[in-house]
Amino acid sequence: MQTDRIATPFGRRPMTLALVKAQFESASIRKHKSADKWKIYRDACDARTLLGLRDRALAVLNALLSFYPETDLTEGANLIVFPSNAQLSARANGIAGTTLRENLALLVEAGLIHRNDSPNGKRYARKGRDGAIETAFGFNLAPLLARSEELAIMAQRVADENQRLKVVKEKITIERRDIRKLISAAIEEGASGDWQRVEEQFIAVVSRLRNARAVGDLTALLEELSLLREGVVNILEAQVLSAKSDANGIEIRQHIQNSNTESLNELEPSSRTEPGRKPSQAPKRQGEPIKSFPLGMVVRACPQISDYAPGGRIDQWRDMMAAAVVVRSMLGVSPSAYQQACEIMGPENAAVVIACILERGGHINSAGGYLRDLTARAERGEFSLGPMLMALMRGAASAQGKSA
């Protein structure tokens, strides 16, 4: 006897126990919780691969949210929307009826919305004498509010994974470029060795790159390319060292050096004179690492961040960074801007900056732009957390003195 599915009327898909559990969780939303529906939607879009959603499903979710009149989803409010399929189709770029129903089912299975069916399966609302909605049947948006923090963390995970993928691809490009130059130099100079076999190995690895998508697969191919490059370099260096007086050996060494130098120049900023730049100008100075501060001091200076931490308190840096991801989404800071801040400042310091921005929210028009500006200053060595934290602590002390 099956116990994991419950039959439902009107020909709808069976309801799994996982969906029942999700409905229970969405019914226990934290009291007075509120979140911007479009920020939640953007996080869901960023996390669509983890949610198993396609673009059409997200277009339908966008259409559903457009029928909710308020910008914020708030606990205790009526979060049920009841558009007809024709209205939904019109706002979802004319999506066909069959496709619309399929994607609505995907959103339900992903746990982003719930069905709140009427006795006859129709969607409608019943209003009282004062015009307020008393009962509504349609799609419940409460799961989005219940999972807002989870979706923000998932979006950040996808951003981190994409960044790792980008770094690995860049390293693969550099390795391919260097190996090609080294093999070409060896063949042109007549260096001894089975260069045909080395060429075949190189082509075999490169051909497998076409089907590699995951970070793990690309990392394995990067390791193969690195080993191949080291082997080529070792062969050429051994020949150069064994024939110091041989002109061919000297030329091969020059080719090796030129290959490595060119690949590095292509990867790093050029120090050669550029148009509009004076020869005497030096490249930008790299900033020193930002000084870290004790966690207790940060929490005293930025007490609001604790409200967004797991369990409502911050006991370790992991709690601080988890809360920062949630606040990052709430403030409208993009995953890429926060990822860049983590790379330049370090993940702990980036989380502290988010906490400081939260404290000063009323004085900052664009949290994302402000974070990018601080990140750029940190990269130039022109930013320190100390003055920001000290100012917040002085402000807190002043407020306490007035209240006393």
Side-chain angles (χ1 to χ4, degrees):
M1 181 179 67
Q2 289 185 337
T3 60
D4 61 338
R5 292 183 180 273
I6 301 172
T8 55
F10 312 116
R12 299 192 185 280
R13 296 188 183 186
M15 176 174 284
T16 64
L17 292 181
L19 292 179
V20 175
K21 179 183 176 183
Q23 289 184 2
F24 289 153
E25 291 175 349
S26 64
S28 58
I29 302 173
R30 187 178 72 244
K31 196 170 182 63
H32 304 307
K33 181 179 180 181
S34 179
D36 187 315
K37 64 181 181 181
W38 298 120
K39 288 187 175 66
I40 299 174
Y41 172 73
R42 287 193 293 270
D43 285 335
C45 290
D46 292 337
R48 63 182 176 274
T49 54
L50 298 181
L51 294 168
L53 295 177
R54 51 199 182 196
D55 291 343
R56 285 288 183 87
L58 293 170
V60 173
L61 179 60
N62 181 290
L64 283 171
L65 288 171
S66 71
F67 283 99
Y68 186 73
E70 305 297 331
T71 300
D72 290 343
L73 302 178
T74 305
E75 185 275 333
N78 175 36
L79 299 179
I80 297 174
V81 293
F82 39 90
S84 65
N85 283 355
Q87 291 172 318
L88 269 178
S89 177
R91 293 200 188 182
N93 303 319
I95 188 172
T98 303
T99 307
L100 175 66
R101 288 188 290 274
E102 289 177 355
N103 286 286
L104 284 170
L106 287 175
L107 292 173
V108 172
E109 290 174 3
L112 297 185
I113 61 174
H114 292 329
R115 293 184 185 273
N116 190 37
D117 291 326
S118 65
N120 62 4
K122 300 293 184 180
R123 299 173 210 145
Y124 63 89
R126 185 178 295 117
K127 298 182 179 181
R129 293 184 177 180
D130 59 354
I133 295 177
E134 293 182 345
T135 307
F137 299 99
F139 295 104
N140 194 341
L141 305 178
L144 289 171
L145 179 59
R147 300 181 63 187
S148 59
E149 294 90 347
E150 178 191 354
L151 292 173
I153 293 173
M154 292 173 71
Q156 191 62 48
R157 281 175 52 197
V158 171
D160 294 343
E161 185 74 6
N162 290 339
Q163 181 61 27
R164 286 194 293 271
L165 189 65
K166 178 181 177 182
V167 170
V168 171
K169 286 183 176 180
E170 288 176 348
K171 290 181 178 179
I172 286 175
T173 299
I174 294 166
E175 289 289 354
R176 289 179 59 181
R177 186 185 303 150
D178 287 353
I179 292 172
R180 169 54 59 203
K181 289 179 180 179
L182 290 169
I183 293 176
S184 298
I187 294 175
E188 289 174 5
E189 298 299 333
S192 60
D194 191 354
W195 299 112
Q196 181 64 33
R197 183 180 63 84
V198 173
E199 176 81 10
E200 290 174 354
Q201 290 178 340
F202 175 61
I203 293 175
V205 176
V206 171
S207 65
R208 282 152 52 201
L209 287 171
R210 300 169 188 165
N211 298 323
R213 296 290 183 271
V215 174
D217 296 337
L218 290 170
T219 301
L221 292 175
L222 174 61
E223 292 175 355
E224 289 189 43
L225 288 171
S226 298
L227 289 174
L228 182 60
R229 181 183 183 280
E230 290 176 7
V232 173
V233 170
N234 289 338
I235 293 172
L236 295 176
E237 285 184 344
Q239 292 185 40
V240 171
L241 293 174
S242 64
K244 293 183 179 179
S245 60
D246 190 341
N248 285 340
I250 296 174
E251 291 176 5
I252 292 174
R253 178 184 290 275
Q254 291 172 343
H255 274 289
I256 297 173
Q257 293 171 344
N258 290 340
S259 297
N260 292 334
T261 302
E262 289 172 10
S263 65
L264 290 173
N265 286 341
E266 291 166 353
L267 174 63
E268 300 175 355
S270 174
S271 60
R272 296 189 293 267
T273 303
E274 300 173 358
R277 176 177 171 180
K278 296 180 180 179
S280 60
Q281 284 181 315
K284 289 184 178 179
R285 176 177 65 85
Q286 292 294 324
E288 296 294 327
I290 298 177
K291 178 183 177 182
S292 299
F293 291 84
L295 181 60
M297 175 183 175
V298 173
V299 174
R300 287 195 302 273
C302 309
Q304 293 185 53
I305 192 71
S306 298
D307 295 337
Y308 302 90
R313 56 180 296 168
I314 293 177
D315 297 320
Q316 52 187 336
W317 280 107
R318 182 180 300 176
D319 299 334
M320 170 65 75
M321 290 185 284
V325 171
V326 175
V327 173
R328 183 275 303 166
S329 172
M330 184 188 72
L331 294 176
V333 176
S334 66
S336 61
Y338 186 61
Q339 177 65 30
Q340 185 179 21
C342 290
E343 291 173 0
I344 300 300
M345 303 179 185
E348 292 86 357
N349 287 333
V352 174
V353 171
I354 290 292
C356 292
I357 293 175
L358 176 65
E359 289 293 324
R360 299 184 57 199
H363 305 283
I364 298 173
N365 293 328
S366 172
Y370 187 62
L371 179 62
R372 288 188 182 278
D373 179 66
L374 294 182
T375 301
R377 288 168 55 191
E379 190 172 24
R380 298 193 300 268
E382 300 172 357
F383 172 67
S384 172
L385 277 172
M388 182 179 287
L389 289 172
M390 291 300 106
L392 288 173
M393 292 187 73
R394 285 195 300 269
S398 176
Q400 289 178 357
K402 291 180 179 179
S403 63

